[in-house]
Amino acid sequence: MLENRVIPCLQLLDNSLVKTVKFRKYEYIGDPLNTCRIFNELEVDEMLLLDIRATVSKKPIDFNYLQALANECFMPLAYGGGIKTVEDARQLFRIGFEKIVINSAFYRNINLVKQIAETFGTQSIIASVDVKKDFIGTYHAYSNSGHKKERGEVIGWMQELQKEGVGEILLTDIAREGTWSGFDIPFIRKVTQQLKIPVIVHGGAGCANDIEDAVNCGGASAVALGNMVVFQQKDMGVLINYKKDYDFKGR
């Protein structure tokens, strides 16, 4: 069983490092290669790299640039953005990534889960599920960088992904992403109680208590951090940083 983890989540846009707020407004942070070098020095255990516009822009995956990033990193890496085929996955694993993160392509072709799992193993697949709550408090799943609302019940969709063979779920709350406002712990708990695979929560962390609550109260297996690892504090300047020691029960 995986121990509780804190994972830096870096957002890429045109080979630059950025940070978004609610999937829309974004701020330039710096050079991804230099940031990876800093995280090496900070002894980060693993990292997520997400190209936030790859699917919407329909641009091809820049494998050469991703290989340059992978060559700089000493920790296990996961990449998401524009992955549509088994061959895309194969190329990413070949250049040094240990996991892939897929969102939109699974809505179009659920069989892709099984195809990748049978070839590379379930541990290699993270299904990204971006969610947003409507005015009556019901969560819905979105694809295409939060632009397209998907049909169906969101937890049912995660259960289907689990059944097909994904190894983990990356659960992002669109309305909280980049806001430092904390997590919706009751919803996270509802999700984790109905899934058997690890859930990585993302979107809203603003302090150590938020991270600890997501794990200790929400049942999350990991927390992916954006703001907290690229800014000094809320409304303050850029500072690449990382802390791995949190008060997780059972560690």
Side-chain angles (χ1 to χ4, degrees):
M1 183 176 179
L2 294 172
E3 68 173 8
N4 300 127
R5 298 163 289 154
V6 177
I7 308 170
C9 181
L10 304 185
Q11 297 176 319
L12 304 175
L13 178 63
D14 298 327
N15 295 344
S16 293
L17 179 62
V18 300
K19 184 66 194 79
T20 58
V21 178
K22 299 182 180 181
F23 281 31
R24 297 295 187 268
K25 176 184 175 183
Y26 66 87
E27 179 177 347
Y28 175 75
I29 300 299
D31 174 54
L33 287 167
N34 186 54
T35 302
C36 288
R37 296 184 189 111
I38 295 172
F39 279 131
N40 283 335
E41 295 174 2
L42 294 171
E43 299 182 344
V44 166
D45 294 321
E46 61 181 297
M47 194 155 62
L48 293 168
L49 300 173
L50 304 179
D51 189 318
I52 62 173
R53 295 291 182 265
T55 298
V56 173
S57 64
K58 299 182 180 179
K59 68 176 183 178
I61 299 171
D62 189 343
F63 292 106
N64 290 332
Y65 185 72
L66 291 176
Q67 182 161 26
L69 285 174
N71 289 344
E72 286 293 336
C73 293
F74 301 152
M75 76 290 290
L77 292 174
Y79 169 78
I83 302 169
K84 298 184 289 293
T85 67
V86 174
E87 188 54 37
D88 288 341
R90 190 187 313 277
Q91 275 282 85
L92 289 163
F93 294 135
R94 185 185 64 80
I95 63 177
F97 287 84
E98 295 201 356
K99 298 179 182 180
I100 55 173
V101 184
I102 300 179
N103 182 312
S104 301
F106 284 159
Y107 292 104
R108 312 287 87 83
N109 178 19
I110 188 65
N111 290 329
L112 182 60
V113 178
K114 190 168 293 184
Q115 292 167 6
I116 296 174
E118 289 177 348
T119 306
F120 304 105
T122 61
Q123 81 291 336
S124 68
I125 312 171
I126 301 174
S128 171
V129 181
D130 300 331
V131 300
K132 187 163 58 175
K133 188 163 54 175
D134 64 19
F135 68 96
I136 63 172
T138 301
Y139 275 95
H140 301 276
Y142 286 75
S143 62
N144 290 58
S145 296
H147 288 81
K148 182 177 181 180
K149 182 179 178 180
E150 296 291 342
R151 297 180 180 178
E153 196 271 325
V154 67
I155 295 181
W157 170 241
M158 287 185 270
Q159 290 174 325
E160 185 175 356
L161 289 166
Q162 174 182 265
K163 180 180 177 182
E164 291 297 314
V166 302
E168 298 179 79
I169 296 287
L170 174 63
L171 178 65
T172 302
D173 191 324
I174 297 172
R176 293 171 180 260
E177 189 268 333
T179 65
W180 303 80
S181 59
F183 296 109
D184 184 342
I185 299 300
F187 177 67
I188 292 172
R189 184 166 57 246
K190 184 177 180 181
V191 170
T192 59
Q193 286 177 343
Q194 297 189 55
L195 294 177
K196 297 179 181 178
I197 57 177
V199 175
I200 307 166
V201 295
H202 175 230
C207 63
N209 285 343
D210 292 335
I211 299 168
E212 293 159 6
D213 285 348
V215 172
N216 297 336
C217 302
S221 296
V223 178
L225 299 181
N227 280 345
M228 288 182 65
V229 296
V230 298
F231 293 116
Q232 298 176 51
Q233 294 180 36
K234 185 178 181 181
D235 300 322
M236 294 184 68
V238 172
L239 176 65
I240 306 303
N241 67 97
Y242 175 74
K243 175 186 175 184
K244 66 172 69 177
D245 297 321
Y246 292 93
D247 184 15
F248 295 145
K249 294 177 181 177
R251 285 195 68 162

